[in-house]
Coordinates of all heavy atoms in Angstrom, one line a residue:
L524 N -0.6 14.0 -7.2 CA 0.7 14.1 -7.4 C 1.4 15.1 -6.5 O 0.8 16.3 -6.3 CB 0.8 14.7 -8.8 CG 2.4 14.8 -9.4 CD1 3.0 13.3 -9.5 CD2 2.3 15.3 -10.8
I531 N 0.4 19.1 -6.3 CA 0.3 19.9 -7.5 C -0.7 19.4 -8.4 O -1.0 20.2 -9.5 CB 1.8 20.0 -8.1 CG1 2.4 18.7 -8.6 CG2 2.8 20.7 -7.2 CD1 3.6 18.8 -9.4
A552 N -5.1 13.3 -12.3 CA -4.1 14.1 -11.4 C -3.0 14.7 -12.2 O -2.6 15.8 -12.0 CB -3.5 13.1 -10.2
L553 N -2.4 13.9 -13.2 CA -1.4 14.4 -14.0 C -2.0 15.5 -14.9 O -1.3 16.6 -15.1 CB -0.8 13.3 -14.9 CG 0.1 12.4 -14.2 CD1 0.4 11.0 -15.1 CD2 1.4 12.9 -13.7
E554 N -3.2 15.3 -15.5 CA -3.9 16.3 -16.2 C -3.9 17.7 -15.4 O -3.7 18.8 -15.9 CB -5.1 15.9 -16.8 CG -5.9 16.8 -17.6 CD -5.2 17.1 -19.0 OE1 -4.5 16.4 -19.5 OE2 -5.4 18.2 -19.4
N555 N -4.4 17.5 -14.3 CA -4.8 18.7 -13.3 C -3.4 19.4 -12.8 O -3.5 20.4 -12.3 CB -5.7 18.3 -12.3 CG -7.1 18.0 -12.8 OD1 -7.5 18.6 -13.8 ND2 -7.7 17.1 -12.2
A556 N -2.4 18.6 -12.8 CA -1.1 19.3 -12.5 C -0.6 20.2 -13.5 O 0.2 21.1 -13.3 CB 0.0 18.2 -12.2
G557 N -1.1 20.1 -14.8 CA -0.7 20.9 -15.9 C 0.7 20.5 -16.3 O 1.3 19.6 -15.8
R558 N 1.1 21.2 -17.4 CA 2.5 21.0 -18.0 C 3.5 21.3 -16.9 O 3.6 22.4 -16.1 CB 2.8 21.9 -19.1 CG 2.0 21.4 -20.2 CD 2.2 22.3 -21.5 NE 3.6 22.4 -21.9 CZ 4.1 23.3 -22.6 NH1 3.4 24.2 -23.1 NH2 5.4 23.3 -22.9
Q559 N 4.5 20.4 -16.7 CA 5.4 20.5 -15.7 C 6.8 20.1 -16.4 O 7.0 19.4 -17.2 CB 5.4 19.5 -14.6 CG 4.1 19.8 -13.7 CD 4.1 21.0 -12.9 OE1 5.0 21.6 -12.5 NE2 2.8 21.6 -12.8
P560 N 7.9 20.8 -15.9 CA 9.3 20.4 -16.5 C 9.5 19.0 -16.0 O 9.2 18.6 -14.9 CB 10.2 21.5 -15.9 CG 9.5 22.3 -14.8 CD 8.0 22.0 -15.0
A561 N 10.5 18.4 -16.7 CA 10.8 16.9 -16.4 C 11.4 16.9 -14.9 O 11.2 15.9 -14.2 CB 11.8 16.4 -17.4
V563 N 10.5 18.4 -12.4 CA 9.5 18.3 -11.4 C 9.0 16.8 -11.3 O 8.9 16.4 -10.2 CB 8.3 19.3 -11.8 CG1 7.1 19.1 -10.8 CG2 8.7 20.6 -11.6
Y564 N 8.6 16.2 -12.4 CA 8.1 14.9 -12.4 C 9.2 13.9 -11.7 O 8.9 13.0 -10.9 CB 7.9 14.3 -13.7 CG 6.7 15.0 -14.4 CD1 7.0 15.7 -15.6 CD2 5.5 14.9 -13.8 CE1 5.9 16.4 -16.3 CE2 4.3 15.6 -14.5 CZ 4.6 16.3 -15.6 OH 3.6 16.9 -16.2
Y586 N 7.1 10.0 -17.7 CA 7.5 11.2 -16.9 C 8.6 11.0 -15.8 O 9.0 11.9 -15.2 CB 6.3 11.8 -16.4 CG 5.4 12.4 -17.6 CD1 4.2 11.8 -17.9 CD2 5.9 13.5 -18.5 CE1 3.4 12.4 -19.0 CE2 5.2 13.9 -19.5 CZ 3.9 13.3 -19.8 OH 3.2 13.7 -20.9

Side-chain angles (χ1 to χ4, degrees):
L524 182 65
I531 61 170
L553 288 166
E554 179 71 22
N555 290 326
R558 289 178 57 200
Q559 299 292 328
V563 169
Y564 294 118
Y586 291 109

